[in-house]
């Protein structure tokens, strides 16, 4: 705990700030004629724009101006990026088009999250086509930010680390600073303070050596110090971040630092200071069009005014909070619907291409039949007979292929329709579930206050039992709400249609990474759980073209289930039992590749194995599983990669999952 002197200094911090502002007011008035450094840079770039130059140089200049405006005026940044995009397309400059798409996505990220993600993905594809590694890393970082917004921890960090890897290959240390700080902020969002501190400290040391900006890094270090109850240090970091953000006129990081100060004073039970800084954070976010910043500030203000009993103010910020939530959830819904529409267009184009190929094949067979007829007319009766048989066999094969293709198209259309319907229902369920959990938590808090503060009259014991029963009911509501949310997430995973782009990856590296992720997650969920991790990878296994994100989900799910099976057996096994999880890889005949996940856990009966890949089937206790993980894994491997996923298990003997990929994958 901080000492008494630190607490006293923090209590009077707001009044010292107000006094300093009053003393500095004359100085600031005299200095109004001097422009800050960022404004001088922007003026120089805009003056350079008015000079004659080549089209490629002008595209780069417009992108740089958009970068300068992004932190203070997103609408102006969007205008400059659209000008750069129009010029790049008019001059067929693909590299410039990719850069302009990235800037436009950054400018639209808050007002249209779905459109921003689409722009980043298009820019990433262009960067890969023109082999622009720097732009690839920038887009990976931008896409990662969106998935961190959506609280998709695994996917967001995956994009962040891919960007860090490319920037490390380029030896671009200034971008490495940004990558490290983003990873630190992501771990901070998931309350993994040790990991957050590690990456922020690395970013700060490198930024100090390069003399680059540290406003976001200082904010991240302040959060770590605040969550570790080092309040004076946290206050120092936030103040330095605010000063640098103001100097650079970076309104977004200014919003973060103000809200960090507000959270700090919340922990110290100083509501006046907390409200003061939360309002400053809301003002900075509104000026920049940063909707999530407004949302976060509204949460703090609503909580503070509710605790003070100022219901009018609390209700006003509650309305603002609900409006921001509706806007952001609406954007996420549009994002998914647009993604489904985009994948559906890809399927239609693929189907049209397949039908065109079949028509061309029929024309070829017709031509061959005509040539055979001419040869028959010349008297080659025997050869004519053989050629006719060959042609008939080929036509039968083609007809069978056509029927199979038609059945596949019909099935895809049915699944696409079902996926859209499921996704729509799931998204509509999220809002009422969110309110159920919120009001359940609020009611639980009220019950705690009544039990703690109110002296019960009459039959106090009976009334207290009633209140305890009410509290238990509300906790059940919250628990089942979380259960429904998990099921909805699984339904959304099943609702995805279409094929993601494939890329060459190392299966050994992918399996190792997801094994460690699963072990870390299970240890956090089950404190004290320890297992021995083994690997048996084939070192000569080649890189393969797969959808790394989807295949990573499969491996993560298999490893997580295996670890839970080990923990289940630990509860009943004797002291000599050693929990072991093994992941390996090998070549198979005909060029096929195989991965396995083997544990010596509780195992499964033959009856359970028959239903293990069915949707909503689970062996976990009620409330602990959705039954969608293995079903989704089976769909990704079999339908997405044309492979196979099999299980071997015995009760008390452990379980082995075999994941086999066809030869065409390599």
């Amino acid at each position: 705990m901080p000492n008494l002197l630190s607490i006293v200094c923090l209590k009077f911090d707001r009044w010292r700030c107000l006094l300093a502002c009053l003393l500095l007011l004359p100085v600031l008035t005299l200095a109004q004629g001097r422009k800050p450094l960022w404004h001088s840079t922007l003026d120089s770039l805009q003056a350079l724009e008015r000079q004659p130059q080549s089209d490629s140089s002008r595209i780069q200049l417009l992108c740089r101006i958009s970068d300068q405006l992004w932190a203070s005026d997103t609408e102006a940044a969007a205008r400059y990026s659209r000008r750069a995009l129009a010029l790049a397309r008019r001059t067929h400059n693909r590299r410039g088009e990719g850069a302009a798409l990235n800037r436009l996505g950054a400018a639209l990220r808050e007002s249209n999250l779905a459109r921003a993600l689409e722009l980043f993905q298009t820019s990433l594809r262009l960067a890969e086509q023109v082999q622009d590694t720097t732009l690839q890393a920038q887009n990976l970082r931008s896409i990662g930010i969106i998935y961190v917004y959506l609280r998709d921890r695994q996917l967001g960090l995956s994009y962040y680390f891919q960007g860090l890897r490319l920037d490390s290959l380029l030896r671009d240390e200034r971008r490495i600073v940004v990558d490290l700080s983003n990873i630190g902020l992501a771990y901070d969002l998931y309350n993994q303070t040790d990991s957050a501190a590690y990456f922020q400290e690395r970013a700060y040391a490198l930024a100090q050596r390069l003399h680059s900006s540290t406003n976001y890094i200082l904010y991240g270090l302040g959060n770590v110090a605040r969550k570790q109850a080092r309040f004076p240090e946290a206050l120092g970091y936030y103040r330095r971040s605010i000063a640098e953000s103001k100097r650079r006129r970076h309104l977004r990081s200014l919003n973060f630092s103000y809200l960090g100060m507000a959270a700090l004073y919340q922990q110290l039970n100083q509501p006046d200071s907390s409200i003061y800084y939360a309002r400053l954070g809301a003002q900075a976010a509104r000026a920049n069009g940063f909707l999530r910043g407004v949302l976060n500030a509204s949460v703090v203000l609503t909580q503070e005014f509710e605790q003070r009993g100022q219901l009018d103010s609390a209700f006003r910020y509650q309305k603002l909070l609900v409006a921001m939530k509706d806007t952001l959830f609406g954007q996420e819904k549009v994002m998914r619907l647009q993604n489904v529409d985009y994948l559906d267009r890809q399927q239609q184009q693929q189907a049209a291409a397949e039908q065109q190929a079949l028509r061309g094949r029929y024309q070829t067979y017709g031509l061959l039949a005509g040539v055979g007829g001419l040869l028959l007319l010349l008297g080659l009766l025997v050869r004519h007979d053989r050629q006719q048989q060959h042609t008939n066999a080929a036509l039968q094969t083609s007809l069978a292929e056509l029927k199979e293709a038609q059945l596949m198209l019909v099935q895809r259309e049915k699944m696409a329709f079902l996926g859209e319907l499921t996704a729509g229902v799931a998204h509509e369920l999220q809002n009422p579930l969110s309110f159920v959990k919120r009001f359940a938590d609020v009611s639980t808090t009220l019950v705690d206050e009544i039990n703690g503060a109110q002296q019960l009259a009459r039959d106090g014991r009976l009334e207290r039992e009633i209140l305890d029963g009410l509290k238990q009911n509300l906790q059940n509501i919250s628990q089942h709400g979380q259960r429904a949310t998990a099921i909805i997430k699984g339904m959304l995973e099943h609702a995805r249609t279409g094929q993601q782009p494939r890329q060459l990856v190392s299966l050994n590296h992918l399996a190792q990474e997801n094994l460690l992720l699963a072990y870390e997650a299970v240890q956090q969920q089950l404190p004290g759980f320890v297992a021995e991790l083994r690997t048996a990878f084939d070192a000569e296994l080649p890189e393969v073209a797969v959808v790394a994100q989807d295949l990573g989900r499969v491996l993560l799910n298999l490893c997580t289930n295996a670890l839970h099976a080990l923990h289940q057996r630990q509860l009943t096994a004797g002291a000599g039992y050693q929990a072991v999880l093994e992941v390996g890889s090998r070549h198979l005949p005909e060029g096929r590749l195989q991965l396995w996940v083997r544990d010596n856990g509780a195992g499964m009966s033959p009856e359970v194995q028959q239903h293990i890949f069915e949707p909503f089937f689970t062996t976990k206790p009620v409330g602990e599983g959705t039954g969608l993980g293995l079903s989704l894994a089976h769909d990704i491997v079999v339908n997405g990669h044309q492979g196979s996923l099999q299980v071997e298990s015995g009760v008390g003997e452990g379980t082995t999952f075999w994941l086999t990929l066809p030869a065409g994958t390599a």
Side-chain angles (χ1 to χ4, degrees):
M1 293 181 62
N3 57 38
L4 182 59
L5 180 59
S6 301
I7 297 295
V8 172
C9 291
L10 290 171
K11 282 181 175 295
F12 288 98
D13 175 69
R14 179 183 173 186
W15 302 110
R16 290 203 305 270
C17 290
L18 293 174
L19 181 58
C21 290
L22 292 174
L23 293 175
L24 289 174
L25 184 59
V27 179
L28 294 174
T29 305
L30 294 174
Q32 285 179 348
R34 296 168 56 188
K35 295 183 178 179
L37 179 59
W38 75 271
H39 207 300
S40 300
T41 303
L42 180 61
D43 288 344
S44 300
L45 292 174
Q46 290 175 333
L48 185 60
E49 180 198 359
R50 293 189 287 270
Q51 299 177 6
Q53 52 195 292
S54 64
D55 290 334
S56 59
S57 298
R58 186 172 297 277
I59 293 171
Q60 295 178 4
L61 180 60
L62 292 172
C63 289
R64 289 181 60 192
I65 295 175
S66 179
D67 288 338
Q68 287 290 320
L69 289 168
W70 175 80
S72 58
D73 189 346
T74 54
E75 292 184 2
R79 288 196 301 270
Y80 277 96
S81 57
R82 287 193 177 98
R83 289 177 56 189
L85 179 60
L87 180 57
R89 286 175 172 171
R90 189 167 62 249
T91 57
H92 306 288
N93 186 333
R94 294 170 63 79
R95 191 181 301 272
E97 181 180 355
L101 287 170
N102 177 269
R103 269 62 173 198
L104 183 56
L108 297 180
R109 189 162 58 208
E110 291 304 325
S111 60
N112 192 336
L113 196 63
R115 178 60 176 159
L117 179 57
E118 184 179 0
L119 292 171
F120 291 143
Q121 291 173 337
T122 305
S123 178
L124 178 59
R125 288 194 294 271
L126 282 173
E128 292 171 346
Q129 293 171 7
V130 300
Q131 298 181 346
D132 188 339
T133 307
T134 299
L135 185 57
Q136 289 181 48
Q138 187 167 344
N139 279 294
L140 289 170
R141 184 164 52 248
S142 299
I143 295 173
I145 291 174
I146 289 183
Y147 284 110
V148 169
Y149 277 176
L150 300 178
R151 297 300 193 271
D152 192 329
R153 175 183 180 274
Q154 180 186 355
L155 197 54
L157 286 174
S158 173
Y159 276 106
Y160 277 163
F161 279 111
Q162 290 181 60
L164 176 60
R165 180 177 61 84
L166 292 183
D167 285 331
S168 299
L169 292 175
L170 293 170
R171 300 182 184 276
D172 191 337
E173 292 186 322
R174 293 190 178 276
R175 292 183 181 272
I176 290 175
V177 170
V178 179
D179 292 327
L180 293 173
S181 180
N182 281 345
I183 293 171
L185 289 175
Y187 277 118
D188 173 64
L189 186 64
Y190 306 125
N191 290 319
Q192 296 180 250
T193 53
D194 291 340
S195 298
Y198 171 74
F199 284 99
Q200 293 293 7
E201 287 169 358
R202 286 182 58 190
Y204 184 74
L206 184 55
Q208 288 289 94
R209 182 166 63 81
L210 299 173
H211 302 289
S212 60
S213 60
T214 58
N215 44 327
Y216 276 117
I217 304 173
L218 291 169
Y219 161 74
L221 291 172
N223 280 357
V224 170
R226 174 174 58 81
K227 292 180 180 181
Q228 294 177 348
R230 296 183 283 114
F231 299 132
E233 292 182 42
L235 180 62
Y237 283 129
Y238 288 143
R239 284 176 174 172
R240 290 167 60 191
S241 177
I242 290 172
E244 185 172 338
S245 299
K246 287 181 177 180
R247 187 166 62 253
R248 297 178 179 276
R249 206 176 189 283
H250 202 301
L251 298 180
R252 193 162 298 200
S253 65
L254 188 61
N255 163 263
F256 287 164
S257 300
Y258 278 143
L259 292 185
M261 294 281 280
L264 173 64
Y265 284 114
Q266 261 191 329
Q267 288 183 242
L268 294 173
N269 196 24
Q270 298 182 30
D272 289 341
S273 297
S274 179
I275 291 172
Y276 172 74
Y277 283 107
R279 281 175 168 168
L280 291 179
Q283 292 172 5
R286 284 175 174 170
N288 181 243
F290 185 28
L291 300 184
R292 292 181 185 274
V294 178
L295 172 63
N296 294 334
S298 300
V299 170
V300 176
L301 291 168
T302 301
Q303 293 173 348
E304 291 295 345
F305 282 121
E306 283 180 348
Q307 291 181 1
R308 297 179 65 172
Q310 298 180 5
L311 299 183
D312 291 343
S313 298
F315 180 69
R316 176 161 56 90
Y317 284 105
Q318 176 74 16
K319 288 176 60 179
L320 181 59
L321 186 152
V322 172
M324 292 297 101
K325 275 193 173 181
D326 289 343
T327 302
L328 293 171
F329 286 142
Q331 291 174 5
E332 293 167 11
K333 180 186 293 183
V334 170
M335 181 192 68
R336 288 176 170 81
L337 292 177
Q338 287 184 349
N339 188 43
V340 169
D341 181 63
Y342 172 74
L343 295 175
D344 185 61
R345 290 199 306 270
Q346 278 192 329
Q347 287 183 342
Q348 293 176 357
Q349 292 173 358
Q350 182 180 359
E354 291 174 353
Q355 292 178 353
Q356 182 65 29
L358 286 174
R359 285 196 295 268
R361 192 179 300 174
Y362 284 136
Q363 292 174 357
T364 301
Y365 291 153
L367 180 59
L368 291 175
V371 172
L374 291 175
L375 294 176
L376 289 173
L377 291 175
L378 295 175
L380 301 177
L381 183 59
V382 176
R383 185 171 297 177
H384 159 73
D385 183 66
R386 293 178 180 176
Q387 184 67 36
Q388 188 64 40
Q389 292 177 0
H390 175 73
T391 303
N392 288 338
L395 288 174
Q396 290 295 331
T397 302
S398 300
L399 183 59
E401 292 177 355
L402 176 61
K403 290 181 179 179
E404 183 180 357
Q406 289 175 338
L407 290 174
M408 290 177 63
L409 289 173
V410 171
Q411 185 66 20
R412 286 181 182 178
E413 290 178 359
K414 289 180 179 179
M415 293 304 296
F417 173 77
L418 179 59
E420 291 179 7
L421 179 61
T422 304
V425 173
H427 283 298
E428 291 300 329
L429 283 173
Q430 279 184 330
N431 280 340
L433 284 175
S434 176
F435 280 106
V436 167
K437 289 188 288 184
R438 173 174 176 78
F439 286 118
D441 292 339
V442 172
S443 299
T444 302
T445 303
L446 290 177
V447 172
D448 287 337
E449 292 177 357
I450 292 174
N451 281 335
Q454 179 177 336
Q455 298 294 329
L456 299 177
R458 299 182 302 277
D459 189 351
R461 184 176 59 182
L462 176 60
E463 294 186 9
R464 187 173 299 277
E465 289 177 356
I466 294 173
L467 290 175
D468 289 340
L470 174 60
K471 179 178 179 179
Q472 182 62 43
N473 290 339
L474 293 174
Q475 290 174 344
N476 290 335
I477 291 173
S478 179
Q479 176 185 356
H480 289 290
Q482 294 172 359
R483 162 82 173 161
T485 301
I487 294 175
I488 288 172
K489 184 178 180 181
M491 293 171 65
L492 292 175
E493 294 285 354
H494 268 286
R496 294 188 312 149
T497 59
Q499 293 291 333
Q500 299 292 328
R502 299 194 178 201
Q503 56 184 349
L504 288 174
V505 298
S506 168
L507 290 180
N508 292 342
H509 177 73
L510 189 64
Q512 177 77 22
E513 179 182 6
N514 285 279
L515 171 63
L516 296 177
L517 281 175
Y519 187 57
E520 178 184 355
V522 172
Q523 281 190 317
Q524 292 180 358
Q525 183 182 359
L526 304 171
F529 171 72
V530 177
E532 180 183 356
L533 304 183
R534 298 178 182 174
T535 57
F537 294 130
D538 184 349
E540 298 180 359
L541 205 70
E543 290 189 341
V544 294
V546 297
V547 183
Q549 171 191 341
D550 289 349
L551 204 58
R553 282 199 183 100
V554 174
L555 292 168
L556 182 65
N557 184 272
L558 294 179
C559 292
T560 302
N561 287 348
L563 290 167
H564 280 287
L566 294 174
H567 179 259
Q568 182 180 357
R569 186 172 180 183
Q570 277 184 339
L571 298 177
T572 57
Y577 172 71
Q578 174 61 42
V580 178
L581 172 58
E582 179 183 275
V583 178
S585 64
R586 64 180 177 180
H587 272 99
L588 292 179
E590 301 176 355
R592 294 177 299 159
L593 305 177
Q594 189 174 72
L595 296 170
W596 69 83
V597 178
R598 179 181 293 120
D599 67 77
N600 63 341
M604 295 180 288
S605 66
E607 293 77 15
V608 171
Q609 295 178 47
Q610 292 179 1
H611 304 284
I612 198 67
F613 296 118
E614 295 178 3
F616 298 103
F617 178 83
T618 180
T619 59
K620 296 180 180 179
V622 176
E624 293 186 11
T626 63
L628 293 172
L630 286 176
S631 172
L632 178 60
H634 187 269
D635 182 71
I636 290 173
V637 175
V638 176
N639 298 326
H641 291 81
Q642 292 73 51
S644 65
L645 183 61
Q646 299 174 330
V647 61
E648 295 179 2
S649 183
V651 176
E653 300 176 358
T655 303
T656 302
F657 282 92
W658 303 95
L659 193 161
T660 306
L661 297 176
T665 306

